[in-house]
Amino acid sequence: MSGPEAVSRRVRREGLLPLLPATAVLAVIVYWAFNQGGYESRPTLGAPYQPTGWYVGALVIVGLWCATALGLRRIRMSRWAFAACAALLAYTVWSFLSVLWAHDQGAAFLGSVRTLVYLAGFTTLAMLPWTARSALAALGAFVAAVGIVAVAIAAKVAFMHDPSSLYLDARLVYPLGYYNADAALLTAAAIVAVALGALRNTPAPLRVAGLVVAAVCLQLAVLAQSRGWLFTLPVVLMLALVLVPGRLRLLAAALGPALATAATAPALAHVYSRATVNGVALAEPRIAQVLHQQGSHAVRAMLLADLLLAVIAGVVVTLDRRIAPNAELCRRANRAGAALAALAIAIGIAAALFATHGHAVTRVEHAWRSFADTSESTSASSANSSRFGSLGSQRADFWRVGVHEWLAHPLTGIGQDNFAAAYLRLGHTRQEPRWVHSIELRLLVHTGLIGALLFALFLLAVLLAALRGRERNSPERVAVGIALLPLIVWLMHGSLDWFWEFPVLSVPALAFAAVAMSIAPVVAAGQATVAPPIPVPADGSRSQPGAHSIPAVLRWGVIVALGLGSLVAVAIPFAAAHEVQRATETWSKQPALAYAQLRSAHDLLPFDAQIDAIGGAIALDLEEPLAARAWFDEVQRADGEEWLAP
């Protein structure tokens, strides 16, 4: 037997079938990475409106969802995995229901479509028969994909003659358009790369390459000057030590990228410090010259440090592969790793006490006052060397308004993506945030206690499906721990930021969580030895102990209903967004055509008041008061608060 049929049989026999849809998901992630992270901005006349990046990726994810469900003859998953899919589906349905009580129904609907796409990405990979081998391969592909993005970033930082477009206030915002999101994506890839590099059975060249990619990602994260990244990174590392077996090996693998990043930190910090004065960016054209000069210097320092890391890592990995592991030694090493982690925490606490001259409580109180201060000067100013030395921010006021709105609507929330109007009404700063800057508060504010509990049930089911019945040092348990790391980064850093709105962060976090809970165990419940091979049907799916098969009739009905409904739910706003985009590009030369395009968009999404607001803004700019009045009357009918998100 030869040809495509032989390849197909080999793919099924070796459990590599899930890599086909996973590759498509990773391709979408890379596409989003170079298209503002897939972030869906709202149309305005004062800024470019480019919705294509988000909607193209969303249609691919939903289409892949349908194709995967139709292509599998049987879908088998554990009870907790099924519960996780059901809970996320319930949250998505509840999100769409929130359109009924949201004042800005257009924003609520579009936010619910985003949730639907996340559901599609999660369940696509949850349906597949994952093994430890295929899961690790997918994680390696994720590291490689983000590594390509990181190399592209470094090349632009080093070689662009005028790199000003890569920065905002001398902080790296390329390619996602938001420095904190850049840091989160790079960190997710770095921590996964470190965990893969710590595995003995990973090929030596890939281990070395992974550690170098981790170093590059961490170094570029420093350029983003994300304070949330700096403060949550230790928490992420501690949770990684809990989830991934082999603590000492993980710590040892993390040491190389950490040292390479520390060695280049002064050069990386100079990009910010030389391009700002008291936290305020220099003016053009001086800032372009400084950013180019300092960026090139920083990348040269990165290259030197990472080449040295590659050489040292190559030697260490070679020695590691030649030394035969000893079970008792590994257990002692893991205990030593836990002790070292505890010692590091104690040293950190002691260092904090020493740095504050014993007045740690006073310093903490001062830091909190700085964080809670809503004045513009506090948030804008920082230590001249970097932004890592201060906590000034408006987040405390965002959270205050968020808590107020949740207490006013405790069960149902105010509607998906409807925070912006509340902040304009109740906020104490001049900011106009669309998001509450916290995943937990976002769930409570937008969808109330009911929505938050549904999502909490989803996370609990994912963890139970992933971790129950796994031997601590089994290959499956190792793969599960590593696959959960993107979710950990997303949750920890996202607790302080608005990462839900970035598909390039949310989709891999949820998708790899699906992989973690779907890895088939090879040890049967109650057995101390390796069980006989699990029967593999012709379609390549694997039965799991305690799993049940979804009936064919029910499955086909759900696929048809959800698949067609989801495609329509994404396609309609995509068509409306395309019309709005055309109108924002042509209105100055062809106003009549722009009005017609906006009316077409309005017919597709009659409850989205932002479309009518664009028409009113065009009419005002063209000095057509009667037309403006007609458009704004539609706005008032759609939005009772007479306000639209910026």
Side-chain angles (χ1 to χ4, degrees), residues 132-453:
R133 181 180 179 184
S134 59
L136 293 176
L139 289 161
F142 170 68
V143 171
V146 180
I148 292 172
V149 175
V151 170
I153 297 171
K156 282 183 172 289
V157 168
F159 299 117
M160 279 189 69
H161 180 69
D162 183 2
S164 300
S165 60
L166 307 180
Y167 298 86
L168 178 62
D169 296 332
R171 302 169 69 184
L172 183 69
V173 296
Y174 180 81
L176 304 186
Y178 182 45
Y179 24 75
N180 294 336
D182 287 326
L185 178 63
L186 294 167
T187 300
I191 195 71
V192 171
V194 167
L196 293 176
L199 300 180
R200 287 178 57 91
N201 56 354
T202 302
L206 295 182
R207 291 177 67 181
V208 175
L211 294 177
V212 172
V213 168
V216 173
C217 289
L218 291 175
Q219 289 159 349
L220 292 175
V222 174
L223 282 180
Q225 294 279 316
S226 170
R227 292 169 294 191
W229 166 80
L230 182 67
F231 297 139
T232 58
L233 187 59
V235 179
V236 169
L237 180 59
M238 291 300 299
L239 291 175
L241 293 173
V242 172
L243 287 172
V244 182
R247 298 185 185 94
L248 191 58
R249 295 183 64 85
L250 185 61
L251 282 173
L255 185 62
L259 290 176
T261 303
T264 57
L268 296 167
H270 281 169
V271 177
Y272 176 83
S273 62
R274 300 291 172 81
T276 61
V277 177
N278 295 325
V280 179
L282 299 174
E284 293 285 359
R286 177 58 180 160
I287 189 172
Q289 299 171 355
V290 172
L291 290 175
H292 173 67
Q293 180 183 18
Q294 297 302 321
S296 299
H297 176 66
V299 172
R300 287 196 298 269
M302 289 171 54
L303 182 61
L304 180 61
D306 296 341
L307 285 175
L308 182 60
L309 171 64
V311 173
I312 296 175
V315 173
V316 173
V317 167
T318 301
L319 294 176
D320 180 49
R321 291 179 66 86
R322 291 182 178 180
I323 299 175
N326 180 278
E328 180 61 27
L329 181 62
C330 289
R331 284 192 292 270
R332 292 180 180 178
N334 285 331
R335 289 194 292 268
L340 286 174
L343 179 61
I345 294 174
I347 292 175
I349 295 173
L353 290 173
F354 177 79
T356 57
H357 305 286
H359 300 288
V361 175
T362 303
R363 289 295 184 92
V364 169
E365 291 176 348
H366 175 75
W368 171 252
R369 286 194 298 270
S370 173
F371 176 74
D373 191 346
T374 59
S375 64
E376 298 293 329
S377 59
T378 300
S379 61
S381 63
S382 63
N384 196 40
S385 60
S386 75
R387 288 178 58 92
F388 293 137
S390 68
L391 293 177
S393 171
Q394 283 88 38
R395 278 174 174 74
D397 198 54
F398 301 166
W399 297 343
R400 177 190 61 81
V401 174
V403 171
H404 176 277
E405 288 300 283
W406 173 55
L407 293 176
H409 310 84
L411 290 180
T412 61
I414 61 177
Q416 194 70 277
D417 287 14
N418 269 237
F419 174 74
Y423 190 79
L424 280 188
R425 189 175 67 252
L426 302 171
H428 293 163
T429 75
R430 291 182 292 178
Q431 299 294 317
E432 296 180 346
R434 290 177 63 191
W435 321 114
V436 73
H437 286 62
S438 168
I439 289 177
E440 296 85 354
L441 266 180
R442 184 192 195 283
L443 293 167
L444 288 169
V445 173
H446 292 183
T447 55
L449 186 60
I450 294 175
L453 288 177

Side-chain angles (χ1 to χ4, degrees), residues 121-146:
F122 177 82
T123 52
T124 295
L125 299 192
M127 292 186 290
L128 296 169
W130 289 95
T131 63
R133 181 180 179 184
S134 59
L136 293 176
L139 289 161
F142 170 68
V143 171
V146 180

Side-chain angles (χ1 to χ4, degrees), residues 102-129:
H103 78 85
D104 187 351
Q105 293 183 322
F109 178 78
L110 295 177
S112 299
V113 169
R114 188 189 306 112
T115 305
L116 175 64
V117 174
Y118 295 169
L119 170 70
F122 177 82
T123 52
T124 295
L125 299 192
M127 292 186 290
L128 296 169

